[in-house]
Amino acid sequence: MAFDGFNENSLPRRAMKAELLDAETELRLAYAWRDERDEQALHRLITAYMRLAISMAAKFKRYGAPMGDLIQEASLGLMKAADKFDPDRGVRFSTYAVWWIKASIQDYVMRNWSMVRTGSTSSQKSLFFNMRRVQARLEREAAAAGTTLERHRMRAMIAKEVGVPLNDVELMEGRLSGSDFSLNATQSSEDEGREWIDTLADEGEHASVTVEHDKDIDTLRGWLVSAMCRLNEREQFIVRERKLREAPRTLESLGTELGLSKERVRQLEAAAFGKMRKSLEAQSAEVHQFFA
């Protein structure tokens, strides 16, 4: 890379000492990289414009990101610009690189502004980076005219100027108004204060629902045990092997073990279920839903 061996402190100093490229040299280096993949040419091109990347990174310090991270993102944008630059278009590399450097830094800032995704579309990005500037200018103009803009009118004017829906302005205003907080933070300064996570509703089942469900299962289990006791030993064996095993056995395998035909085992199974149904129906009419 063009900045291998550089660190956060030395990079700005070394960038300021880098050579200044004239248009002819810049063009020659761009052709050498594009056509011959000459890494030395790429190194000179990027190193010469690192001061531009650092200068642009400094403009985004107000968003709270570490300067070292901003410079790194600016450097990545600069390398993308060098890789995609087409010298045949007749545009200076610095002019072309500005867009890629700015886009890389803006993406980084928006990714790290909040744990909640701030926005991804071009209009949301434009709103994020221009909302406060536009709002400050509108407030200055209103103050100069001796008027005060109401909140809803301010939002409408910002939406019109930036070219985004009013709803986007309202959502972005809420996201920019505060920072992230830990759910384990206390609601008050007291040591025993309740944590914010305690205010979240439990999405799990209520205890009453769980207890009622467990009680129903126990009742049904008791009914089934009672119904099984009404079967003879062979019928109990068939029901257990056919319905209570994790891997149910086939009619054919049971017939082989019992010395019966496959059809006879099926008949015995049906008869056993019939007896169980009658036993269960005698205990409660509610069990019909389990055998429907």
Side-chain angles (χ1 to χ4, degrees):
M1 286 185 186
F3 47 94
D4 284 346
F6 288 10
N7 57 49
E8 181 181 341
N9 296 321
S10 66
L11 183 55
R13 293 194 300 270
R14 297 184 64 173
M16 294 304 298
K17 297 178 181 179
E19 64 178 323
L20 295 175
L21 301 179
D22 56 46
E24 182 179 350
T25 302
E26 177 186 292
L27 193 63
R28 178 170 54 80
L29 294 174
Y31 276 123
W33 169 244
R34 189 195 68 177
D35 300 337
E36 303 171 19
R37 311 311 286 179
D38 185 339
E39 293 189 0
Q40 290 186 348
L42 174 65
H43 184 279
R44 285 185 63 188
L45 189 63
I46 292 179
T47 301
Y49 286 102
M50 274 303 300
R51 59 166 58 86
L52 172 63
I54 295 172
S55 174
M56 294 188 64
K59 296 179 181 179
F60 289 83
K61 289 177 62 177
R62 64 181 183 274
Y63 292 100
M67 188 60 186
D69 292 347
L70 292 174
I71 292 176
Q72 181 177 5
E73 293 298 323
S75 301
L76 292 175
L78 180 61
M79 288 193 295
K80 288 180 181 178
D83 191 52
K84 295 178 178 294
F85 181 60
D86 183 1
D88 290 331
R89 291 183 176 272
V91 178
R92 286 296 300 264
F93 175 70
S94 58
T95 303
Y96 180 77
V98 164
W99 187 93
W100 283 98
I101 296 171
K102 184 177 181 180
S104 183
I105 299 173
Q106 287 181 339
D107 286 343
Y108 168 79
V109 170
M110 293 191 71
R111 287 196 311 270
N112 292 274
W113 176 262
S114 170
M115 292 177 67
V116 179
R117 190 171 180 82
T118 307
S120 57
T121 66
S122 58
S123 61
Q124 290 171 334
K125 182 183 292 187
S126 175
L127 181 60
F128 178 87
F129 289 103
N130 292 289
M131 181 172 171
R132 288 178 173 172
R133 177 182 58 79
V134 173
Q135 180 175 336
R137 179 174 58 77
L138 292 174
E139 289 174 346
R140 288 196 303 270
E141 292 176 355
T147 60
T148 302
L149 291 175
E150 296 182 357
R151 201 173 193 83
H152 70 278
R153 176 162 173 73
M154 173 70 76
R155 291 170 177 166
M157 294 176 70
I158 292 174
K160 181 178 180 180
E161 179 148 344
V162 181
V164 299
L166 177 60
N167 183 58
D168 282 1
V169 175
E170 294 172 345
L171 290 175
M172 189 63 70
E173 185 179 57
R175 291 170 182 172
L176 296 178
S177 63
S179 56
D180 297 330
F181 292 93
S182 170
L183 288 175
N184 294 117
T186 56
Q187 293 178 288
S188 66
S189 58
E190 300 177 4
D191 293 338
E192 300 299 326
R194 185 172 63 166
E195 296 182 354
W196 284 104
I197 196 171
D198 295 331
T199 65
L200 299 180
D202 186 359
E203 297 181 356
E205 293 184 341
H206 292 293
S208 59
V209 176
T210 303
V211 171
E212 184 177 352
H213 176 266
D214 292 343
K215 182 180 178 181
D216 290 342
I217 292 298
D218 289 340
T219 300
L220 180 57
R221 184 180 292 110
W223 289 343
L224 290 173
V225 171
S226 177
M228 283 284 286
C229 290
R230 296 177 181 271
L231 304 179
N232 59 44
E233 186 175 346
R234 184 168 63 177
E235 289 171 337
Q236 289 183 14
F237 175 73
I238 292 174
V239 171
R240 282 198 303 270
E241 296 300 300
R242 290 283 291 158
K243 298 299 182 182
L244 303 182
R245 282 170 54 97
E246 185 174 343
R249 293 179 60 180
T250 64
L251 294 172
E252 186 175 2
S253 68
L254 288 175
T256 301
E257 182 174 344
L258 297 173
L260 301 172
S261 66
K262 176 180 176 181
E263 177 59 22
R264 180 54 182 161
V265 175
R266 187 194 65 76
Q267 292 173 356
L268 290 172
E269 179 185 46
F273 287 156
K275 291 179 181 180
M276 292 183 66
R277 182 190 297 273
K278 290 181 180 180
S279 175
L280 291 169
E281 288 175 348
Q283 296 180 74
S284 174
E286 296 178 0
V287 299
H288 282 298
Q289 60 182 320
F290 295 100
F291 293 88

